[in-house]
Amino acid sequence: MTENITSVGGGGRPEAGVSALKGRTGAGAPAETRGKTTIADGVVAKIAGMAAREVPGIYSLGAGMARAFGAMRERVPGGGGGAVTRGVKVEVGEQQAAVDLDVVVEYGVSIVDVAGGVRTNVIGAVERMTGLEVVEVNVAVDDVRLPDDEEETEPDEGRVR
């Protein structure tokens, strides 16, 4: 009886920022394990960013300057592509991944509970979708959104009309 093991390819990585998952090959191996799958860092970052945003109590991701530059990029046609990964940094190895998140939470929520929810959701999503083991999810709370904070979507008109 042969054992069906999906392992990560040995040797050098095909390119920086990509995880290579390789299974058994040959006529006796199941079809789903024949060949190699590569997962780019950007893919893991998008999955982590989406999973973190799903957690109640998260207002947005990204530190102050990243949010400011991101808001400006989104106003430029074709420049808003990085919004999902703003505030997300990942390190992807051959079998494992680590995630760092910069978040802004809503005022009044338990930061400890929100951070725990983010970790649970990110680990579940990344491991389920990629097969990589998530070794850590670091959450840095950079700001709290107060109820009376206004969105800066319109420029100030000034005091005089």
Side-chain angles (χ1 to χ4, degrees), residues 135-158:
V135 294
E136 66 181 8
V137 176
N138 299 311
V139 179
V141 180
D142 292 317
D143 202 358
V144 175
R145 180 175 188 284
L146 301 174
D148 60 346
D149 283 349
E150 292 183 21
E151 290 294 315
E152 295 181 16
T153 56
E154 298 178 17
D156 292 338
E157 294 180 22

Side-chain angles (χ1 to χ4, degrees), residues 102-126:
D102 291 321
V103 301
V104 177
V105 298
E106 295 281 354
Y107 176 79
V109 299
S110 167
I111 293 174
V112 173
D113 292 344
V114 170
V118 166
R119 284 187 184 94
T120 300
N121 217 31
V122 168
I123 290 169
V126 171

Side-chain angles (χ1 to χ4, degrees), residues 7-15 18-22 36 93-95:
S7 61
V8 175
R13 292 176 60 187
E15 60 184 81
V18 175
S19 169
L21 304 176
K22 184 177 178 184
K36 183 170 75 170
E94 293 183 352
Q95 295 179 335

